[in-house]
Amino acid sequence: MATARPPYDKLVFELSAPGRIAHSLPECDVPVGDAAALLPREFLRAAPAELPEVSELDVVRHYSRLSQMNYGVDTHFYPLGSCTMKYNPKVNEDMARLDGFARLHPLTPEAGAQGALQLMWELAQDLAEVAGMDHVSLQPAAGAQGELAGVLMIRAYHLARGERRTKVLVPDSAHGTNPASTALAGYEVVQLRSNEAGEVDLAGLERHLDADVAAFMITQPNTLGMFESRIHQITDLCHARGVQVYMDGANFNAILGITRPGDLGFDVCHFNLHKTFTTPHGGGGPGAGPVGVKAHLAPFLPVPVVVRDETSGVFRLDWKRPQSIGKLQAFWGNFGMLVRAYTYIRTMGPDGLRAVADNAILNANYVLARLQSHYDRSATGYCMHECVVSARRQKRHGVTAMDIAKRLLDLGFYAPSTYFPLIVEEALMIEPTETESRETLDDFCDAMLQIAREAEEDPKLIHDAPVTTPVRRLDQTLAARQPRLRWTPPR
Amino acid sequence: MATARPPYDKLVFELSAPGRIAHSLPECDVPVGDAAALLPREFLRAAPAELPEVSELDVVRHYSRLSQMNYGVDTHFYPLGSCTMKYNPKVNEDMARLDGFARLHPLTPEAGAQGALQLMWELAQDLAEVAGMDHVSLQPAAGAQGELAGVLMIRAYHLARGERRTKVLVPDSAHGTNPASTALAGYEVVQLRSNEAGEVDLAGLERHLDADVAAFMITQPNTLGMFESRIHQITDLCHARGVQVYMDGANFNAILGITRPGDLGFDVCHFNLHKTFTTPHGGGGPGAGPVGVKAHLAPFLPVPVVVRDETSGVFRLDWKRPQSIGKLQAFWGNFGMLVRAYTYIRTMGPDGLRAVADNAILNANYVLARLQSHYDRSATGYCMHECVVSARRQKRHGVTAMDIAKRLLDLGFYAPSTYFPLIVEEALMIEPTETESRETLDDFCDAMLQIAREAEEDPKLIHDAPVTTPVRRLDQTLAARQPRLRWTPPR
Amino acid sequence: MRYIPNTPAQQREMLATIGASSVEDLLGRIPPKARLSRPLAVAPAMAETDLVRQLRAMAGRNAHAEACACFLGGGSYDHAIPSPINHLISRGEFFTAYTPYQPEASQGTLRTIFEYQTMMAELTGMDVANASIYDGGSALAEAMLMAAAVTGRRVVAMSGGVNPLYRQVAETYAEGPDVRIASVPVGDGGTDLDALRRAVTEKTAAVIVQYPNFFGCLEDVRTAGEIAHAAGALLVVAADPVNLGLLTPPGAMGADIAVGEGQGLGVPLGFGGPNLGVFACRMELVRRMPGRLVGQTVDIEGRRGFVLTLQTREQHIRREKATSNICTNVALCALMATIYVAILGKQGLRRVGELSAAKAHYAADALAAVPGVRLRYHAPFFKEFTLELPVSPDRVVKRLLKDRILAGIPLKTFDRAHRSALLVAVTEQRTRGEIDAYAAALARAVA
Amino acid sequence: MRYIPNTPAQQREMLATIGASSVEDLLGRIPPKARLSRPLAVAPAMAETDLVRQLRAMAGRNAHAEACACFLGGGSYDHAIPSPINHLISRGEFFTAYTPYQPEASQGTLRTIFEYQTMMAELTGMDVANASIYDGGSALAEAMLMAAAVTGRRVVAMSGGVNPLYRQVAETYAEGPDVRIASVPVGDGGTDLDALRRAVTEKTAAVIVQYPNFFGCLEDVRTAGEIAHAAGALLVVAADPVNLGLLTPPGAMGADIAVGEGQGLGVPLGFGGPNLGVFACRMELVRRMPGRLVGQTVDIEGRRGFVLTLQTREQHIRREKATSNICTNVALCALMATIYVAILGKQGLRRVGELSAAKAHYAADALAAVPGVRLRYHAPFFKEFTLELPVSPDRVVKRLLKDRILAGIPLKTFDRAHRSALLVAVTEQRTRGEIDAYAAALARAVA
Ligand SMILES: Cc1ncc(COP(=O)(O)O)c(C=O)c1O
Ligand SMILES: Cc1ncc(COP(=O)(O)O)c(C=O)c1O
């Protein structure tokens, strides 16, 4: 049933021929000597960098061929849990490429950047409304940097109140960036064990909430895709102890227009525009991780803040914020991603955003309903936008979550997230997103059920997978033992 | 060695779900009744057209997947003879998409289209210079329409001189459009037998050149990729009998800057901008087939002609040409293609254009030199931009040109043209173009030689080919016997 | 040269393999006196940055539909183009492929053409549509010649409501086959059916009408068809497929051949080209059809696949006996249309028609309300209509261009009798604001 | 909703399968009082045509580098971007893929990152480069923290020649780990090396310099390195990789860690983001490196393949002990840079440096020739330089904006001591005409 294609195994360096060129540069139109005359010798490269020498067709064909070795949302269903691999609208791309946005220098005088500043100002307003927060900074480059910014604001807040708190509580179900960002912000990370339902253990939380705790950081819905139903008890409990509560907003797709972090009692939350707001993942980035805060944290927001002069309606960057945590990246944020998110929000409107959450939840529960006969659930009750199942049963036949992932590739689907969250054995974290059709979900579920059968009847088929990809299973150990991290010319 | 990929076998209609939408249209902002109120009932469709109902992701994923079922120049070496499948520069695409070109209405007042008219005027000048002709019309939509325009101008020329000539001579090696266009222009087509070298048989030509002959139409270099060396005798002979000589310019890539149809004595020639001048083939079109003529044919050029007022420098469309053959398409030509060709010519300059021909010829002769040990040549001596070899020897092992073409697909190359020209048995017409590297040519030649060996040792391998494509050999007879020319819903 | 990969060193090695000492050696067959002894006199090569700057400047001098409110039609319409189209057609596998002569390596193109043929058949209401003809004008001309071939007759009756630019193309194509085109006048917006009756004889190969016609008016196609068929002639209908999401299709009104300009289906205005010639007919006529056809078949493993079929109609097989000389067509424009129709779909295309009609009627009212301005015809119209102006339409057009309004097409260029007529088109893209601004500017211009 | 495929009918069927009667049922776990009882107060949905019109208008209000001659630098540069880059990165298989966690279905991304790592190692002259960090600022901050981790020390000596925006980022990142940043002043354009000697102690984790520095001047990196190494500190060098096609790479001047803003390598200005954080170091330090790394390996059939490797440094494995918290990086910008470097290649990138340097020096002469204007420093510079103006730089910048010239960056925003300083950058894209026009306009502005 599967058909084969001729393999391609080149690196651009291997297409190189001395003296071949793919570039076109203007002649020098100024009457000055060449670089050697202008710059002291010691600053000029002794030997040229060993870069490729190829033609423009070499480049176009090489990268076109390489791209064909990928699965992407544009070509395949991509149910990678926690990553919200939804459709990235093409019109967003057109807008981000308008000269007025793409060719605008960050240090253009504000008078010459009013359109860009207005877009940022409006987007921050919209995100604040969506989150029920008072202020939003668009500067963080991704979710993890949003976390860092949020925790640093919490830190600054406590210090401003003369409190030297040293610990942050993080559930054992949290994504790795949560503890990593918290530690980077100078806090001792205390891991909270989740209860058997995978939720916050209130008693455990209460036990850990001592005077040294600066913040509690949780994901809502949590990484099992379940809504933390006792969220108000949690936030009240924390606030009663002067502890700030941070919401990891990676799962925002589940709650758009349904509920808001601010209304749940959170003091801070970040967004992943590359998840909820359709900016492309681009093979790993760039993303954008705006962070929203309640009013009491506003003084600590990163600089600069985009503000609007009420009377003149003029937009500008406000740098005069003495209590700010400072800057997170050199400029104002991943503006190109902000344009895409803005375009998306304007396209959807209030009802559209709500429909996103409704359909994301519906799709996830549909997949769960169809799979639960053959895969163990990680929690009871309805899930939100994603579901986590366990390959525990398949494991008995020697088929792991990883094996199932590989087999899915052969059946024409990208794989769910595997082995996350850590608290679920052989976890398969499936996030269909609202942009996938029932037909696609059925095809995927049929494949998952087929694999469950194969696990019992023909596990070898699964262990051999993938066989339809440009390469088959790769030797991770070799890669780590003898790291080859760059190409070197064959000697 | 080859790897398989999951098949995709959908048509967009099969993704349809009633009520699903992929479009976004504005609300009606004018206060008028709906169409039913505005238009008489009989003009309103009784039943809606059965069109797909899909989402935007359905559309993007479907056409992305379908595209992956194609080979293109961007992904594969594409040595399709006579088609000049060279690299299509990306900057051409950017220029053709500028709002000022892509969003310009053809009936914009001339004052509002000066940039477009100037581009057309300059391009016509450049093409005239490249061809050594006095005037060029950019209107023909493709080569075949250029041929029609050219032959109609010849016809009008003779008629204007009171001559009713009825025949046009065309060599048996000619491309099918030559006789087809000539017949469409109302002429009897007389096929001239080529000599054993595949060239024009001068004696035969002389014999046929009677008073009824209006024109002689040949391809230079000819369809064997050979330069007709006695071209001056040919054109002189024709002119002596009052016969016009037409050059099919499909092979212009071979002579850029080396020689010019006008200097060879041709009265008319057409260009295929989608061959020589890098406009993309787009899966079959659109192209552009400008036609160039000597001064004596200028009165007959298609209307309108882009002219420039010498004093004011203003460009306009000249419609007042009483002897014109008229129009070939509704507007002025395939302007989008003209922008690309203009961009290309400005990119290359005189030396670049000459280098194109030199390298096209070098590449073709290199391939010929590497293949001639195993494949029979169709002519002796050096070829121009392409070479035609015969699979005669392989045929003895039951391996045809078509079989070889299919096997090449499995080895990662598109196929040469097969069975053209008709005068060569088991013809394989190979045009590498100047944009391919020696490395690519070597890979291709190695594959051709491997196939020659396989033909002797393992013909079945070749007869089974292709096995790496989304489908294998297709039943042409079934398609023609029981034509299924549209999708119909499964009953 | 970034488009020419081989380096001097490689060129030398290749020459050695060939056994030549220089490229010059390879040119021996070209007579010396034929050789060009100087470089071509074209502008010197420009760097990408400089060239882009120059072309942006040239493009910037044009009054395009992004910078102006475009009320121009006449065979090319400013319908909105959904964003995904350009992204998808630009994929190299579609963009840089040739005609699908090797079907196994061209299923992507073949499948999209098969989808296109289906969509065009649905929209026109005909049995079968081909893979495309150059444009609406040449499609009409090919239909005329096909009708002549089918009927063995040499005269066609063409309505004065047919786009005059299409008619000029038809006249060019009629020259060789010696087909005579008899004109049938237009009355109050529609073809004069009595005149048509008089014009149609047993020599008539086809009656050719456009619907809606050049002046925007809806024609009585059914009656025209009855007149044609009564005389054993074919009915050829030219129609803009964009409109056929809402309007009764030619196939339902007796058309034997339906053609049209498909540019509105997602193809950029592009100063008039490339466009999309739509060509469809009844199944009995398919073997006389011009152009390529894609058919469904199976591969040796029984899998569904697609191929070019019925090629014995075509020039590369039939040569001078081919049904047409067309080879390269406008496949990529057909792909744009395919994706456009897939995106707009069953509901959307109909809605485009409804919006265009509504806005056109609003505009007609607003413009005809300007003192001295009136609608030229009383016949019902669709998205385009003809105004009668009290002053020179050329002057009005020039004047409104200053206000960034492309007001319409003065018809006097096509026929002196239309000296004071202005043809105005309104698509779903035009806003009420733009229409009102147009009316106000027109009032100033004619005051 | 064109982005939400499931129809009401399908939703009902799906609910039936789930065993729920409505989506509302699925929300049972959400406390009622937490529910939002009203629609979100964001602007209503807009049709694609209306929205595009609005965004084009917003974009049109910006003074971008296509409409103005851009002499702005300060960490973001208007280098020419070859056309193929956007076409290739826009291919959906690259554009809409996630981090290559399933390597068999991600070889395209993995191979391009491996190529990127190789190119950055070559340009910086270091052993190994990672898959990218957010931007130049955060890359510098990560380098600072890495140096502290490697040396177990808590103080870094940072040159005043480091981009003040990068320094602000470093200060933010220094807060948690409690790293102290000691400032080293700049003398006549370059870091004051005596001051540096005094600043560096056995507590110093790293000496951090930028080359060319923020003011455009070339730094004596070698000496800075000797000073650092003598004290057992690391040398961290921030450098723009575009320049390293021509300039001696940090690796050849003693750098232990090289970082930089790679935006100039084919990444659009984009109002400052996304950018490209380049991060490279010596092999011995690789296990302390932040960010992702792609390594070469083989598959079970022995074929070459690529995977994410040494992941035990990363947050998803090491959590609070990870070398950095970075997860999502800027892979697509790294791809732009990879294609950019492939296109420019060995000769082209060097040439970009030569052209930029030549035009910058021509511009410096032309501008410094304006009465009252002078170069602020005597130290050699590369493609950027600092002017001393007789009038307020802010006023000059405002004034020249009217002539569509983006004149430069007034430095007083960063340091009041630079009240009269203007930072001017010149890339290969600027023409002599633009530079001369700038000089003339400046003369008028300061007259
Ligand atoms: C739950 C969760 N938190 C945080 C992150 C980190 O976000 P980013 O990758 O944008 O830094 C992710 C991303 O995968 C995530 O899934
Ligand atoms: C020799 C020759 N003549 C004429 C043509 C027809 O040109 P077009 O396809 O542009 O109509 C071709 C195209 O393949 C050709 O190869």
Side-chain angles (χ1 to χ4, degrees), chain A residues 1-7 17 20 56-57 60-61 64-65 68 71 73-77 87 89-90 409-410 412 435-437 439-440 467-470, chain B residues 1-7 17 20 56-57 60-61 64-65 68 71 73-77 87 89-90 409-410 412 435-437 439-440 467-470:
Chain A
M1 57 140 268
T3 55
R5 88 195 115 167
R20 185 179 292 170
E56 190 168 307
L57 173 56
V60 167
R61 190 174 287 163
S64 297
R65 292 296 293 265
Q68 294 179 327
Y71 289 15
V73 175
D74 273 7
T75 55
H76 292 78
F77 178 50
Y87 171 60
K90 298 301 180 188
L409 302 180
D410 277 343
T435 62
E436 296 292 341
S437 68
E439 294 85 340
T440 301
V467 297
T468 63
T469 46
Chain B
M1 61 141 267
T3 55
R5 91 196 113 167
R20 186 179 291 170
E56 189 167 309
L57 174 55
V60 168
R61 191 175 286 164
S64 297
R65 291 296 293 265
Q68 293 178 327
Y71 288 15
V73 175
D74 274 6
T75 55
H76 293 78
F77 178 50
Y87 172 59
K90 298 302 179 188
L409 301 181
D410 277 342
T435 62
E436 296 293 341
S437 68
E439 294 85 341
T440 301
V467 296
T468 63
T469 46

Side-chain angles (χ1 to χ4, degrees), chain A residues 81-83 141-147 173-178 219 221 223 248-251 270-275 281 284 287-289 386 420 429, chain D residues 98-99 101 134 292 315 325-329:
Chain A
S82 204
C83 301
Q145 207 182 40
E147 297 168 13
S173 61
H175 186 270
T177 52
N178 292 183
T219 307
T223 57
D248 178 333
N251 295 343
H270 79 260
F271 306 80
N272 302 69
L273 299 189
H274 44 298
K275 297 180 181 186
H281 285 82
E386 66 191 349
F420 174 59
M429 184 188 229
Chain D
Y98 193 72
T99 306
Y101 286 141
Y134 305 129
R292 298 179 184 132
Q315 45 74 28
N325 68 327
I326 192 168
C327 177
T328 288
N329 57 16

Side-chain angles (χ1 to χ4, degrees), chain A residues 9-12 14 19 22-23 29 32 39 42-45 50 52 54 56 62-63 66-67 70-74 78 80 83 88-89 93 97 99-100 102-105 107 109 112-113 115-116 118 129 141 144-145 155 174 176-177 179 181 184-186 199 227 229 232 258-260 264 280-286 325 327-330 334-336 342-343 346-350 359 363 406 414 434-436 438-439 469 472-473 475-476 478-480 484-487, chain D residues 2-6 10-11 13-14 29 33-36 38 40-43 45-46 51 54 58-59 61-66 73 76 78 84 86 90-99 102 104-106 108-109 111 114-115 117-118 122-123 134-135 145 168-169 172-173 175-177 219 244 246-248 268-271 273-274 295-301 303-304 308-309 315 319 325 328-329 331-332 338 342-348 358-359 381 397 409 432:
Chain A
D9 176 30
K10 284 283 206 303
L11 292 169
V12 69
E14 295 162 345
H23 65 267
D29 63 353
V32 298
L39 306 175
E42 70 266 31
F43 292 114
L44 295 174
R45 249 185 192 278
E50 277 309 326
V54 296
E56 190 168 307
H62 177 65
Y63 292 103
L66 289 193
S67 75
N70 273 6
Y71 289 15
V73 175
D74 273 7
Y78 214 112
L80 195 68
C83 301
N88 305 138
E93 299 310 314
R97 285 166 176 73
D99 287 336
R103 303 274 291 118
L104 182 62
H105 191 285
L107 297 170
Q118 178 184 350
E129 161 66 9
Q145 207 182 40
R155 178 190 173 99
T177 52
S181 302
L184 179 55
E199 295 184 50
F227 193 88
S229 49
H232 285 111
I258 295 176
T259 181
R260 311 190 303 168
L264 297 173
H281 285 82
I325 60 164
K327 291 191 65 40
L328 293 148
Q329 57 171 324
N334 284 353
F335 181 75
Y342 179 93
T343 305
R346 287 284 169 275
T347 299
M348 303 303 284
N359 283 275
N363 284 1
K406 301 306 182 192
Y414 198 78
E434 76 285 358
T435 62
E436 296 292 341
R438 184 243 172 106
E439 294 85 340
T469 46
R472 294 182 57 196
R473 293 201 198 187
D475 187 340
Q476 293 279 5
L478 174 69
R484 295 186 57 178
L485 306 174
R486 60 158 291 170
W487 180 81
Chain D
R2 65 197 196 275
Y3 304 150
I4 300 178
N6 288 329
Q10 289 180 309
Q11 290 166 353
E13 294 159 11
M14 293 165 76
R29 298 169 51 87
K33 71 169 184 147
R35 294 289 300 276
L36 185 65
R38 55 166 178 85
L40 288 167
V42 298
M46 293 176 78
L51 179 54
Q54 181 199 306
M58 280 169 108
R61 288 211 300 285
N62 298 326
H64 56 84
E66 213 55 61
S76 186
D78 185 29
N86 182 51
S90 299
R91 286 182 57 88
E93 300 93 322
F94 281 138
F95 210 77
T96 64
Y98 193 72
T99 306
Q102 294 292 342
E104 301 87 350
S106 312
T109 296
R111 281 172 177 260
F114 189 76
E115 292 177 349
Q117 291 176 180
T118 306
E122 272 298 324
L123 284 172
Y134 305 129
D135 79 327
L145 298 185
Q168 289 179 49
V169 176
T172 307
Y173 274 76
E175 173 72 13
E219 289 275 5
L244 300 179
L246 180 63
L247 295 181
T248 307
L269 292 167
F271 203 45
Q296 179 176 325
T297 184
V298 296
D299 78 354
I300 58 170
E301 295 180 18
R303 279 177 302 202
R304 174 166 69 171
L308 291 173
T309 191
Q315 45 74 28
R319 306 184 65 86
N325 68 327
T328 288
N329 57 16
L332 199 74
T338 306
I343 289 175
L344 273 292
K346 195 175 189 168
Q347 301 177 22
K359 294 181 177 202
F381 63 90
V397 164
I409 304 164
R432 181 178 185 168

Side-chain angles (χ1 to χ4, degrees), chain C residues 30-275:
Chain C
I30 305 176
K33 73 170 180 146
R35 293 290 299 279
L36 184 66
S37 52
R38 55 166 178 84
L40 288 167
V42 299
M46 292 176 79
E48 186 168 310
T49 48
D50 302 334
L51 179 54
V52 167
R53 210 177 266 121
Q54 182 199 305
L55 275 152
R56 279 175 170 265
M58 281 168 107
R61 288 210 299 285
N62 298 325
H64 56 84
E66 212 56 61
C68 307
C70 180
F71 292 91
L72 304 177
S76 187
Y77 299 90
D78 184 30
H79 288 290
I81 301 180
S83 167
I85 297 176
N86 182 50
H87 293 266
L88 292 167
I89 63 128
S90 299
R91 286 182 56 87
E93 300 93 323
F94 281 137
F95 210 77
T96 64
Y98 193 72
T99 306
Y101 286 139
Q102 295 293 340
E104 301 87 351
S106 312
Q107 285 296 299
T109 296
L110 287 160
R111 282 172 176 260
T112 61
I113 296 172
F114 189 75
E115 292 178 348
Y116 167 82
Q117 291 176 179
T118 307
M119 291 167 173
M120 293 306 121
E122 272 297 323
L123 284 172
T124 57
M126 307 302 291
D127 301 324
V128 52
N130 76 6
S132 74
I133 296 290
Y134 306 128
D135 79 327
S138 50
L140 183 106
E142 293 271 14
M144 170 187 72
L145 298 185
M146 176 173 158
V150 168
T151 58
R153 301 177 179 183
R154 287 291 188 76
V155 189
V156 297
M158 191 179 294
S159 161
V162 169
N163 187 325
L165 293 164
Y166 295 2
R167 178 182 173 124
Q168 290 180 47
V169 176
E171 284 163 353
T172 308
Y173 273 76
E175 173 72 13
D178 192 21
V179 169
R180 198 166 85 19
I181 302 175
S183 305
V184 180
V186 162
D188 186 1
T191 305
D192 177 336
L193 294 170
D194 299 327
L196 178 63
R197 276 190 197 83
R198 275 180 259 110
V200 175
T201 72
E202 71 294 334
K203 289 200 172 47
T204 307
V207 167
I208 306 179
V209 298
Q210 182 174 325
Y211 154 84
N213 68 20
F214 180 65
F215 306 104
C217 300
L218 290 156
E219 290 274 4
D220 180 354
V221 177
R222 279 193 189 74
T223 307
E226 283 152 19
I227 295 170
H229 294 151
L234 302 187
L235 176 65
V236 174
V237 179
D240 178 344
V242 179
N243 305 343
L244 299 179
L246 179 63
L247 296 181
T248 307
M253 298 186 296
D256 301 287
I257 305 174
V259 296
E261 175 50 64
Q263 171 273 334
L265 299 171
V267 181
L269 293 168
F271 202 45
N275 279 349

